[in-house]
Amino acid sequence: MGLAFGAGVVFARRKVIAPETSKAFSDFTFLFGIPCYLFGNVYGSDLRTLFVWRALSGYIVSAAASTALVGLAAYLFGTRRPQGIALRIMAGIQVNTAYFAVPVFIMLFGTATPIFSVLLFQVCVLSSVVILIMELGVADPTARAAIRVRRALWSSLTTPLVLSCVAGLALNLLSVRVPATLLEGFSFVGVSASPVALFALGLHLGGSGLRVRGTPFEEIWLIAFKCVLFPLLTWAVCFLIFGVSGIWLDYLVLIAAMPAPQNLFIFAQRYDVDAESLEMSASLVVKTSVTTLVLLPLWVQLAQRLR
C-alpha cells in the first residue's frame, strides 16, 4: 500500500506523470478493476458461511442510523450539494474491506470470510445509495422530480460496481459454472484495483499536497466518527439491541473500525465534485488509514472486553 501510494506522490512531484492523469487511473478502477475483483470474490465464496443474519442485521441497522446522522450533520455544517453529502456519508460509514480489513482479519483470526457479507451489503446497498444521491446531483435539474429519481436510480443500479456484485451473487446462488479461464482473467484484473486506486490517490495528493496542520474541523469530526463513534455505535446496536455476542461481535466492531475506502476518492473524481470535496476525500482516505493503524491494537483489546 505504501509503495503504490508513495510512487504516485513521487511521480507527481517529480513531474514524471502529470497529476491530472489521476482521473484516468480512477476511471479504470471504478469501471473495470473493482468490478472484476468483486465478481470473482462473490462468485467464489461459500454463501452458507457468509450470512449470520442476526449479526448482519445489527450491522445494517447501525449503518443506517449512522448514515442518517452523518447526512444530517453534513447538511447542518452547510453542505447542500447531493454529491458532497454522499461523499461525507461514504467517508463516515463505508470501510476499506478488500485491502485493509482482509489482511487484518487474516492476521488476527486466520480467515477473512466474515468480511464478505459486509462487503456485499456495502456494495449492493450502501454504494447504491451513494451513487443514487450523486446521480441526483448530476441529473437534469429541469426534469420533474419523479423522472430525476427514476433516472438516478437506474444509473446507480446499472453501474459496473453494482452489476458485477449482483451477477456474482446470482451465478453463485444458481450454481452456474463459470469457466476457470474466465475467473482467472477476472482475478488477474481484480488484483490491480487497489494498487491502481492508491497510485491515483498518490498522484492527486502529490500534485496538490496533504495538509496535516490546520486540518478543517469537518475532517476532524468525520475522522472521529469513522474511527471511533461508528465502531462504538455498531457495538451498541449489535450487542444491546440484537443480542450479538462472542466472536461475531468482535468481527463487526473491528470491521466498523476500518478506515474509509479508496473508493471515496474514486467516486469523488468520477462524479466531478467541487475542488474542496475532492481534496477532503483524498485527505480522509489517508488520515483515517493512519488513525486506524494507531487505534487498531486498542480496538482489538476493547472488542474482546466489550463482548
Side-chain angles (χ1 to χ4, degrees):
M1 291 174 68
L3 179 63
F5 172 78
V9 172
V10 172
F11 283 14
R13 290 188 174 178
R14 292 184 175 272
K15 303 187 185 306
V16 177
I17 299 177
E20 296 77 18
T21 61
S22 64
K23 190 173 189 307
F25 290 99
S26 297
D27 285 343
F28 165 83
T29 305
F30 181 85
L31 297 172
F32 191 41
I34 295 175
C36 286
Y37 173 84
L38 288 174
F39 177 83
N41 278 277
V42 172
Y43 174 78
S45 298
D46 183 357
L47 299 181
R48 292 172 300 178
T49 65
L50 291 186
F51 297 103
V52 178
W53 290 108
R54 177 179 293 183
L56 185 58
S57 298
Y59 189 90
I60 290 172
V61 170
S62 66
S66 298
T67 296
L69 288 173
V70 174
L72 177 61
Y75 186 84
L76 293 176
F77 276 115
T79 303
R80 295 293 185 267
R81 295 188 64 194
Q83 295 98 321
I85 293 175
L87 279 178
R88 286 155 178 81
I89 290 173
M90 192 173 183
I93 311 305
Q94 292 207 22
V95 299
N96 187 336
T97 53
Y99 285 88
F100 205 106
V102 167
V104 166
F105 268 60
I106 291 175
M107 177 183 69
L108 293 176
F109 305 111
T111 178
T113 299
I115 296 172
F116 283 99
S117 58
V118 174
L119 176 62
L120 285 169
F121 164 68
Q122 183 165 282
V123 172
C124 296
V125 179
L126 289 181
S127 291
S128 296
V129 171
V130 169
I131 294 172
L132 172 62
I133 297 173
M134 289 187 167
E135 290 287 348
L136 282 172
V138 299
D140 182 6
T142 61
R144 288 186 301 172
I147 295 176
R148 291 175 60 196
V149 171
R150 187 171 66 249
R151 289 175 179 172
L153 183 60
W154 175 253
S155 296
S156 68
L157 295 177
T158 54
T159 58
L161 202 67
V162 176
L163 287 176
S164 63
C165 192
V166 172
L169 184 61
L171 294 178
N172 188 320
L173 288 171
L174 296 172
S175 299
V176 176
R177 185 174 180 180
V178 177
T181 304
L182 187 58
L183 290 175
E184 289 173 3
F186 283 125
S187 176
F188 177 75
V189 175
V191 294
S192 70
S194 184
V196 173
L198 286 168
F199 185 75
L201 178 62
L203 276 178
H204 177 79
L205 289 177
S208 62
L210 177 67
R211 290 185 301 171
V212 178
R213 291 184 178 181
T215 299
F217 176 74
E218 188 176 29
E219 281 190 29
I220 294 174
W221 79 257
L222 279 170
I223 293 170
F225 190 94
K226 177 70 208 69
C227 298
V228 179
L229 296 180
F230 183 45
L232 288 176
L233 181 61
T234 299
W235 169 81
V237 172
C238 292
F239 180 68
L240 299 178
I241 298 177
F242 284 84
V244 181
S245 60
I247 193 65
W248 264 97
L249 190 61
D250 288 3
Y251 292 157
L252 296 177
V253 171
L254 289 176
I255 288 173
M258 294 296 105
Q262 299 100 306
N263 289 359
L264 179 65
F265 174 71
I266 301 301
F267 276 45
Q269 280 203 321
R270 176 68 184 168
Y271 287 94
D272 295 322
V273 300
D274 59 274
E276 181 182 354
S277 294
L278 181 61
E279 295 302 324
M280 184 193 70
S281 65
S283 176
L284 285 172
V285 172
V286 177
K287 291 176 181 177
T288 56
S289 296
V290 173
T291 304
T292 298
L293 284 173
V294 173
L295 295 179
L296 186 59
L298 297 177
W299 277 119
V300 171
Q301 296 298 320
L302 186 59
Q304 294 176 355
R305 291 179 181 273
L306 287 176
R307 71 180 172 100

